Amino acid sequence: MTRAKLVGRPVADEEKIERSCAGMRFEEYVEEWKAGQRHLAVASVRHLESLLEHHLYPALGSRRMNSFDHKVVDQFIRTMERMRTGLPTQANAFDKLRAILLDAHRLGVFPDNPLLGVKPPQYDSARAVTPSLEQLRGIRAAGDDAFMLIVDLMSGCGLRNGEASAVNINNIVADDV
């Protein structure tokens, strides 16, 4: 079976994609890919941009797209582990990298899937611990008034660290909230 029949495109189209994208730097490719992600909500775009800025671009930004294989992806994961990046962040960064590389693979940038054989980071959200009321009292007492407010916002409103820290008078959405 020819390569064109496997991908579903004429060989000429596939060669054109391979020539135009294969030599691109990862960062250039991602910026084009990101422009096509019109379905993402504002918060998702911010999350993606943060992962790109802090994890993907520093490690992979200058790498040429045609140089990706399972060894590169494994090395990226090992680097995050060595830097003691938290498992949730490792899983999120890997998910974004996987989405980008699978899109490139579907376009024909890679003849083989660069993710085959890669063991993704294993984040188990069930390991998260909810503090007891006694522990929460101890946490609240450990800091100043600003820290206590953040703890109250997190425990009382269900906000995450960054969300609680970002609360200010300018992001109140209604008079009664």
Side-chain angles (χ1 to χ4, degrees), residues 52-73:
L52 291 171
E53 177 185 347
H54 298 291
H55 301 285
L56 295 167
Y57 286 166
L60 305 167
S62 62
R63 179 174 282 281
R64 299 287 176 194
M65 288 301 290
N66 59 0
S67 70
F68 277 89
D69 61 13
H70 69 282
K71 292 176 187 174
V72 172
V73 178

Side-chain angles (χ1 to χ4, degrees), residues 41-52:
V42 174
S44 296
V45 171
R46 278 197 309 262
H47 184 227
L48 170 63
E49 288 174 352
S50 176
L51 288 171
L52 291 171

Side-chain angles (χ1 to χ4, degrees), residues 74-150:
D74 272 333
Q75 182 60 42
F76 173 67
I77 295 168
R78 282 197 304 276
T79 299
M80 286 193 296
E81 291 170 347
R82 191 173 52 254
M83 294 175 65
R84 300 193 190 285
T85 302
L87 274 175
T89 303
Q90 287 182 36
N92 283 329
F94 176 77
D95 286 344
K96 295 303 178 214
L97 179 61
R98 177 176 44 205
I100 294 162
L101 295 180
L102 285 177
D103 183 68
H105 177 58
R106 280 190 291 271
L107 282 174
V109 173
F110 314 114
D112 299 317
N113 182 344
L115 298 163
L116 283 178
V118 173
K119 185 177 184 281
Q122 299 298 312
Y123 169 60
D124 181 10
S125 61
R127 289 181 43 209
V129 177
T130 304
S132 68
L133 286 175
E134 189 59 38
Q135 291 170 323
L136 187 56
R137 284 188 196 100
I139 292 169
R140 290 180 76 235
D144 59 7
D145 288 343
F147 180 76
M148 191 182 330
L149 176 61
I150 289 175

